[in-house]
Amino acid sequence: MSEVSLESKISDLSFATKANVLNVKLNFVKNLNDKTLTKNDSLLLIGKSKDLKLVPKAQLTSILSKLEIPANWYSESINYLCPEKKANDDGAKLANRTSISWLNRFSINTISAKCSRYNAPSRAHLITKIVKSNCFSDNQTILVACERRYSIACASAVARAFPLYSSKTNNNESKNPRNVTVSFIYTDNECKSPNPSDEEIACYNAIGESVRLTAKIVDTPCAEMTTDHFLQEIKNVAKELGLEPMVIEGEELNKRGFGGLYNVGKAAINPPKLVVLSNIKSGSKRNIAWVGKGIVYDTGGLCIKSRANMCGMKEDCGGAAGVLGAFYAAVKLGFEDNLHAVFCLAENAVGPNA
């Protein structure tokens, strides 16, 4: 090859640039073939080795063409990452074959299939780590190959990789929203029905929003997520769902017999609150209540916690945050019974009234 033609070939190669995990518009779709892509966009394929082997190449042909990925590169990469284990292999040579990438435009990552009492068979917790480390381009597509029964766990893990809150200065510098599109290829029954249904896509989008909302509340420090701010998050959800929350706060809690919650939060600047969201279905005879602990920060009060135990106490509102996220997803997806969400909000502060 001449120097001129070699230089022209090199000039055509462009890497997808590293992108931010904040300010992301996340969307789950049925099929990626109709998605508009350019060579400056990126695709991330995730799955266990056994699932990646079953992905039909026809599902990726048009995407590879749009990203200008060589046709044979995908097949060779799958053979490299997911080799057939021979009888005399001890597995040591296969240990490091976990990822491969073409100029950051197309990355393939394998997930270990090994599970123990400390993790789930879906191994979804690894997906969050992979997605965070493979954020390239302002228009990214993520394709997850898995069994249908693991899809909800995988969708939640993808959503968790894109937080709605961060206090890091460099993260807040990103002003342009990134578009992240996610789809699944089901490997059950040899990929005979590989794409999700409309109902499943609606479920994934609702769950993705609820996971990110829950994470935002837990990630935000107490200085920015007081009981008043938490109440506003509840009101935002209620407004979107067409509901009205019932709120009991401050001295009224004590007058109405909620002394436990009142005494925990009475020393804080922002008063404690008991908030109830109810979604009533006409004709339903079943009532379900979810109760969430929403201690936005727990110093321990007069029995103050030690330095080591104090650092993570902004997470003490995780129960209420989880209930809010679950309530949002359940109602949005048409939960058929009467559903009540109860939020016990307080800040266990140190002060004269503690």
Side-chain angles (χ1 to χ4, degrees), residues 11-228:
S11 64
D12 287 339
L13 300 179
S14 60
F15 287 81
T17 56
K18 189 72 175 178
N20 209 305
V21 295
L22 277 179
N23 202 7
V24 168
K25 296 173 67 175
L26 184 65
N27 185 38
F28 291 84
V29 299
K30 287 180 62 175
N31 198 310
L32 297 177
N33 288 331
D34 298 330
K35 181 175 171 58
T36 302
L37 293 171
T38 69
K39 70 175 184 179
N40 295 321
D41 299 329
S42 64
L43 171 67
L44 172 62
L45 175 61
I46 310 172
K48 298 177 184 177
S49 294
K50 66 180 185 66
D51 294 321
L52 292 177
K53 291 178 184 178
L54 295 173
V55 173
K57 192 175 180 181
Q59 291 275 335
L60 298 173
T61 302
S62 64
I63 300 176
L64 295 178
S65 176
K66 294 172 184 176
L67 293 175
E68 299 185 9
I69 307 294
N72 62 335
W73 182 86
Y74 172 72
S75 300
E76 293 174 358
S77 298
I78 292 297
N79 291 334
Y80 170 77
L81 291 173
C82 315
E84 296 293 337
K85 189 174 181 180
K86 299 178 181 179
N88 58 350
D89 276 344
D90 59 4
K93 295 180 180 179
L94 310 181
N96 294 325
R97 296 182 181 181
T98 58
S99 64
I100 193 168
S101 175
W102 174 271
L103 304 176
N104 294 340
R105 289 190 218 159
F106 184 19
S107 300
I108 307 175
N109 282 257
T110 60
I111 300 174
S112 172
K114 294 180 180 179
C115 62
S116 70
R117 63 188 180 196
Y118 301 111
N119 60 54
S122 67
R123 303 286 280 167
H125 65 287
L126 294 177
I127 292 179
T128 304
K129 296 179 180 179
I130 291 172
V131 172
K132 280 186 175 181
S133 61
N134 286 274
C135 288
F136 297 101
S137 76
D138 290 333
N139 189 22
Q140 183 178 24
T141 301
I142 300 173
L143 184 60
V144 182
C146 67
E147 297 177 37
R148 180 178 261 105
R149 57 179 172 164
Y150 298 143
S151 59
I152 290 180
C154 294
S156 302
V158 171
R160 186 63 183 96
F162 301 107
L164 296 175
Y165 175 86
S166 176
S167 59
K168 293 182 179 179
T169 305
N170 60 339
N171 282 340
N172 291 328
E173 291 175 354
S174 178
K175 296 181 180 179
N176 297 324
R178 292 182 62 227
N179 295 305
V180 176
T181 304
V182 187
S183 189
F184 288 87
I185 289 183
Y186 298 142
T187 57
D188 309 67
N189 302 320
E190 298 180 351
C191 295
K192 292 180 180 178
S193 55
N195 298 120
S197 64
D198 291 330
E199 292 78 11
E200 287 172 318
I201 290 301
C203 177
Y204 300 150
N205 278 305
I207 287 176
E209 292 175 27
S210 69
V211 166
R212 298 178 78 193
L213 170 63
T214 299
K216 171 191 172 183
I217 295 173
V218 176
D219 290 344
T220 307
C222 178
E224 301 175 50
M225 185 55 67
T226 64
T227 55
D228 291 343

Side-chain angles (χ1 to χ4, degrees), residues 177-325:
R178 292 182 62 227
N179 295 305
V180 176
T181 304
V182 187
S183 189
F184 288 87
I185 289 183
Y186 298 142
T187 57
D188 309 67
N189 302 320
E190 298 180 351
C191 295
K192 292 180 180 178
S193 55
N195 298 120
S197 64
D198 291 330
E199 292 78 11
E200 287 172 318
I201 290 301
C203 177
Y204 300 150
N205 278 305
I207 287 176
E209 292 175 27
S210 69
V211 166
R212 298 178 78 193
L213 170 63
T214 299
K216 171 191 172 183
I217 295 173
V218 176
D219 290 344
T220 307
C222 178
E224 301 175 50
M225 185 55 67
T226 64
T227 55
D228 291 343
H229 291 103
F230 203 130
L231 176 59
Q232 188 57 51
E233 294 290 344
I234 295 173
K235 288 182 177 180
N236 292 342
V237 169
K239 183 178 180 180
E240 185 171 344
L241 299 176
L243 305 174
E244 188 67 33
M246 182 195 75
V247 183
I248 306 172
E249 62 180 320
E251 294 296 330
E252 190 181 356
L253 282 170
N254 196 31
K255 293 176 182 178
R256 296 179 64 170
F258 299 100
L261 180 59
Y262 168 76
N263 284 294
V264 168
K266 68 178 182 179
I269 296 175
N270 301 98
K273 299 170 177 56
L274 180 68
V275 187
V276 181
L277 265 182
S278 297
N279 183 54
I280 306 300
K281 290 285 188 179
S282 60
S284 176
K285 298 180 180 179
R286 191 180 182 201
N287 292 285
I288 297 174
W290 294 339
V291 182
K293 177 184 177 183
I295 308 301
V296 293
Y297 200 85
D298 187 5
T299 65
L302 294 182
C303 299
I304 195 165
K305 295 180 182 294
S306 64
R307 179 177 62 181
N309 294 328
M310 185 95 67
C311 296
M313 282 298 104
K314 69 173 184 176
E315 300 172 1
D316 218 25
C317 64
V323 166
L324 181 60

